[in-house]
Each structure stands twice: as structure tokens, then as C-alpha cells.
Amino acid sequence: MSKDTNADLIRQFIVANPTITANKTLARELIKAYPDKFSDLEKTRFLVRRVTGSAGRVFKNPELRRYKITSDKKVSSFNWRDPIKPLQELKKVFDKGKGSQDKAKWKVKTDGEICVIVVGDLHAGSWATDYDQLVAITEEIINIPNLYVILCGDLLQMSIKLRGVLEVSDNALPPKWQFYWLESWLKDIKHKVICSTWDNHSVMREEVATGFSNYADIFQRHTIYHDNIGHIDVCVNDQIYKIAVAHFFRGRTMYNPCHGQMRYMRMTSNDREICIAGDSHEPGIMVYNEGGSSKRIALNCGSIQNGGYGKRFFSLVNSPVFPCFTLSEKTHEVTPYWSVKEWLNK
């Protein structure tokens, strides 16, 4: 008989004889009851101790038998399908509450062409920003008829990325007051804003710290806001102009400030005819043919900030240039200009 069978026999004997308490007595009685299975007293006593445990007579009370212990331990039960429906419902709620958009349409009815200025990298709130130029740009946007604007990000300085004391010391206005400034400024010009986009100075820096951007929230409450690359169709009367906009596009090169935009239209979205960005503080305009018959225009805006970072690593001279382009109301025609002044003096 195996040891396991002997153990089962001992358990059965203990249950059947609850009055026998001592292991040695149990061993003697087992030898008497099963002489063909148990003969040596010490070996039998050892087997009894293995069954009852070192704590003694576990089987004295049948309620204490270890092999009858029960519990209400929770057993995990999960199927991948279980959360799908709740997630779908929650996604509908989030999508409804989202204020940014990937694609948009903006329409205007007009008797003449419109001009669209590309404005970004104002860095309001920085000690290094030219605030005379900021006021002048704002007055142009507000007061010049048929002049509209696409905002390309970095409108605030928001030195909140803790890379160094000098950098964060460039907040002439504390971050909270930069946001107050932005919303007030935007309320004055929002009727002239076609769309706006994300940036790295405010949106990405806020998202790193909190997963949320107050900058983005302000824009999506007042304007068409693209939280990533945006495709916007600008409709001037019956003419539809297809524009892509972002703070910057991959593929930028020091030899061509518009290369990222050109690459994007060529490699990713060749239905776009105009592509706009900023970020590098280097203004640029490219008018070129793609595929032999498609006229394309890429624009990049400059900056009115001339800070220590730029003067140390790039140039002592900044480029406060904000290119613009006209959209004809009669025929499908796009004409770029180096500045609003150049457009007005054509």
C-alpha cells in the first residue's frame, strides 16, 4: 500500500474514533485494527504525526479538519468583450465634449479677394518679444478689410519646461497671466481668425505636466482649433481652397524653411494645395509645381521674439516677417506675398 493510501486510512480511522486523542495511542490502535498494514509502532506513530500535523490532534474536532476548510475567496472573471460597450458609450461622451477637430470648413461670401496672414511665434509674455510689433500686427488684423488670419502656435512664451533657471526666467508675465492675456487678445480678433493649431511652447509643455492644455481649451472655445495637423477647406464664394496647417511638419531643413510643408503635401496629403507652419522663426514662401500641373504653395512665418536662445544658437537677427496669401473670389487663384504691406501696395 502506498504512503498516500496509508494516510487516507489513518484519516478515516481518526474520524471514526474521535475519542482517541494521543498520537501514540492512535498508532497502537491502528496496528491492532490493520496488522497487515501497520506493524512497527514508531513508524506508525510517525505516519500519524504526518497526518495530524505538528500542532497535535487536528482531527479531534471534525470541524477543524484541514481538508474541509472553506472560504468565500473571490475568483476573477474577465472577458475582453465586457468593457467594449461601456467604452463605446464613454467614447461618444468624450467625442461630443471634444472641441478640437482634424478637418474643418470655413466659408466667406465676399465681393473681392481675401488675404490670409500666417501668424505664429509671437511669444507674448517673453521679455524678448517686440510688443510694438505685436500691437501693429493685431491692429492690422482687426482693421484691414478682407484680411483674415491663421494662427500657427507659440503665441505665448510659457517657459514652464524646467530645463534651466535662465529659460524659466524669461516669463515677463507669469503663466496664469499669459493665459488671461491670450483669451482677452483672442476675443478682439476671433472674428478674423480662420483657424488655429497646437504648439510646443504651451500645448505640449502643459500636456507633459497635466495631460491637459488650457491654451488649447481657450482656442477651441473661440475658434476652429486643430489639436494636431489640421485640414481646412476655405470656401471663398464658390471657390474651395484646400489648406493644411500645423505648428511644424516633419522633414524641416536648415536650407529651406518650407521643406516640411512641401514634404507633407508630396508624401502624405497631395490633395492639399497650401501648407502652413511656423516654429522655426524663419519666414519662407515656396510656389512650385508638383506632378506637372498642380500649383502648390508652402509658407512659414517668422517671429517678433529675439531672445537669447535664438541669438546664441542661430542668429543675432530675428525675422519678424509674416507671409500672407490672397484667395480669389472669382477664379481659383492663390497669390502669396511677403507681407500684408506688400499685398496692400500691389
Side-chain angles (χ1 to χ4, degrees):
M1 181 178 289
S2 69
K3 290 182 179 179
D4 289 341
T5 304
N6 281 343
D8 289 338
L9 188 58
I10 292 171
R11 291 190 185 97
Q12 294 171 10
F13 186 83
I14 290 171
V15 172
N17 299 274
T19 59
I20 303 176
T21 59
N23 288 340
K24 191 172 184 179
T25 304
L26 278 170
R28 289 196 187 101
E29 295 301 320
L30 282 165
I31 291 172
K32 291 179 183 179
Y34 307 104
D36 57 329
K37 297 181 177 60
F38 303 103
S39 57
D40 185 272
L41 179 62
E42 288 305 316
K43 288 183 178 180
T44 305
R45 188 180 179 185
F46 175 76
L47 289 173
V48 170
R49 286 179 61 84
R50 285 186 60 186
V51 171
T52 59
S54 60
R57 282 287 289 152
V58 174
F59 290 94
K60 181 178 180 181
N61 185 340
E63 297 299 322
L64 297 179
R65 295 174 199 150
R66 287 179 292 176
Y67 58 87
K68 282 197 173 183
I69 292 174
T70 61
S71 74
D72 63 348
K73 180 189 178 304
K74 184 178 179 180
V75 178
S76 174
S77 176
F78 180 84
N79 185 279
W80 67 271
R81 296 181 188 274
D82 295 342
I84 295 297
K85 187 171 182 180
L87 286 172
Q88 288 172 331
E89 294 300 321
L90 191 58
K91 189 174 183 299
K92 290 178 183 178
V93 174
F94 286 169
D95 287 345
K96 185 178 178 181
K98 186 179 179 181
S100 65
Q101 58 199 100
D102 298 342
K103 299 178 181 179
K105 286 186 178 181
W106 183 90
K107 301 178 180 181
V108 62
K109 294 292 183 180
T110 177
D111 295 330
E113 67 181 12
I114 71 167
C115 183
V116 182
I117 182 174
V118 181
V119 173
D121 300 285
L122 299 179
H123 293 280
S126 166
W127 290 109
T129 292
D130 188 328
Y131 292 99
D132 289 336
Q133 289 182 324
L134 191 155
V135 172
I137 292 168
T138 305
E139 294 298 334
E140 280 186 347
I141 294 169
I142 294 173
N143 296 317
I144 296 177
N146 276 4
L147 178 64
Y148 297 91
V149 61
I150 291 178
L151 300 172
C152 290
D154 279 3
L155 301 179
L156 298 180
Q157 175 61 8
M158 287 299 289
S159 292
I160 58 174
K161 191 171 184 179
L162 303 180
R163 294 182 295 195
V165 174
L166 181 62
E167 181 181 6
V168 298
S169 297
D170 193 34
N171 281 324
L173 287 176
K176 179 176 76 172
W177 292 95
Q178 291 187 42
F179 287 131
Y180 288 168
W181 181 91
L182 177 67
E183 186 148 28
S184 177
W185 179 79
L186 194 55
K187 285 178 180 178
D188 278 359
I189 70 164
K190 66 180 183 179
H191 61 291
K192 289 294 198 77
V193 177
I194 293 176
C195 66
S196 57
T197 189
W198 61 278
D199 70 355
N200 62 304
H201 263 248
S202 295
V203 176
M204 293 180 67
R205 290 178 178 181
E206 290 180 276
E207 289 172 344
V208 166
T210 66
F212 171 79
S213 171
N214 191 44
Y215 181 97
D217 186 60
I218 290 171
F219 275 104
Q220 65 189 20
R221 284 190 278 110
H222 295 289
T223 71
I224 293 173
Y225 174 70
H226 301 294
D227 200 29
N228 33 246
I229 295 170
H231 284 189
I232 184 162
D233 292 349
V234 174
C235 306
V236 183
N237 295 343
D238 296 328
Q239 301 300 319
I240 301 175
Y241 298 92
K242 295 184 175 296
I243 302 174
V245 57
H247 184 52
F248 63 80
F249 290 88
R250 292 178 59 198
R252 187 172 67 199
T253 167
M254 62 184 291
Y255 302 108
N256 177 3
C258 298
H259 186 263
Q261 293 90 305
M262 296 167 68
R263 175 188 175 277
Y264 179 75
M265 287 188 286
R266 179 182 306 115
M267 303 297 295
T268 304
S269 297
N270 50 34
D271 68 317
R272 301 290 104 181
E273 57 187 311
I274 306 168
C275 194
I276 297 166
D279 183 60
S280 65
H281 296 198
E282 295 179 293
I285 297 173
M286 285 292 294
V287 183
Y288 61 102
N289 246 346
E290 193 85 82
S293 60
S294 300
K295 178 183 178 182
R296 289 187 175 164
I297 296 175
L299 299 100
N300 206 76
C301 71
S303 174
I304 58 173
Q305 184 194 46
N306 193 22
Y309 179 81
K311 288 192 287 186
R312 176 172 287 177
F313 295 106
F314 297 99
S315 172
L316 289 175
V317 181
N318 70 323
S319 300
V321 177
F322 300 91
C324 58
F325 56 94
T326 57
L327 303 175
S328 173
E329 82 287 9
K330 295 178 180 179
T331 59
H332 197 87
E333 185 63 37
V334 184
T335 306
Y337 296 90
W338 193 241
S339 65
V340 171
K341 182 179 179 181
E342 184 176 279
W343 166 57
L344 293 175
N345 293 333
K346 65 177 180 177

